[in-house]
Amino acid sequence: MNRKWQIWPRDDRGSASAELMIATPLLLLMLMAIVQFALWSHATHIAQAAAAQGLATARAHNGTSSAGAEVTRQVLDQLASGPLRDASVAAGRDAESASVTVHGTATPVLPFLSLPVHAEAAGPVERFTPDVAGG
């Protein structure tokens, strides 16, 4: 019998440890990426809610863009102390429309990933129009 071509079972002691050393960091990185995306999504929703509140104030009948920006900052101060960083607010109003914009970054979980957050709300300005038909 020719033993040269005979296949013997290999010794695979320690292979599970090597596989675990490779798989565990990748699994943790993937888990942290999921948490980072969830945090970014939450920060985006907070920015959108703050912009909508500011828009409601800015587009009111006697509202101003500075009042809309102030309400937006107040909402951000209440809600965004954790997930949203470096938030900046810009508000504008003219005779026809009003808009509020929020920019910032999501709090980083992964050190090499900085995700921007942007939210904008715009709408027409409320105007009082008297009923001239005499109703």
Side-chain angles (χ1 to χ4, degrees):
M1 183 171 179
N2 187 356
R3 293 190 183 251
K4 184 177 180 183
W5 298 103
Q6 188 175 5
I7 299 175
W8 295 96
R10 293 184 179 166
D11 185 19
D12 60 356
R13 287 178 288 172
S15 66
S17 297
E19 290 171 1
L20 193 61
M21 283 185 57
I22 293 171
T24 302
L26 291 176
L27 182 64
L28 288 175
L29 182 66
M30 199 165 47
L31 182 65
M32 288 177 65
I34 291 169
V35 170
Q36 178 70 68
F37 175 74
L39 195 61
W40 170 79
S41 179
H42 184 54
T44 301
H45 286 125
I46 287 173
Q48 187 63 43
Q53 288 287 347
L55 177 65
T57 302
R59 67 186 290 249
H61 179 61
N62 290 324
T64 63
S65 61
S66 61
E70 182 60 31
V71 167
T72 303
R73 284 188 196 93
Q74 288 174 357
V75 172
L76 287 174
D77 288 342
Q78 292 173 359
L79 299 177
S81 61
L84 184 61
R85 290 192 173 178
D86 304 326
S88 64
V89 176
R93 177 186 161 119
D94 57 20
E96 298 290 323
S97 65
S99 66
V100 176
T101 306
V102 177
H103 291 282
T105 57
T107 301
V109 174
L110 297 170
F112 55 86
L113 190 60
S114 176
L115 296 174
V117 173
H118 173 79
E120 186 171 348
V125 171
E126 294 178 358
R127 291 182 291 166
F128 176 72
T129 53
D131 186 15
V132 292

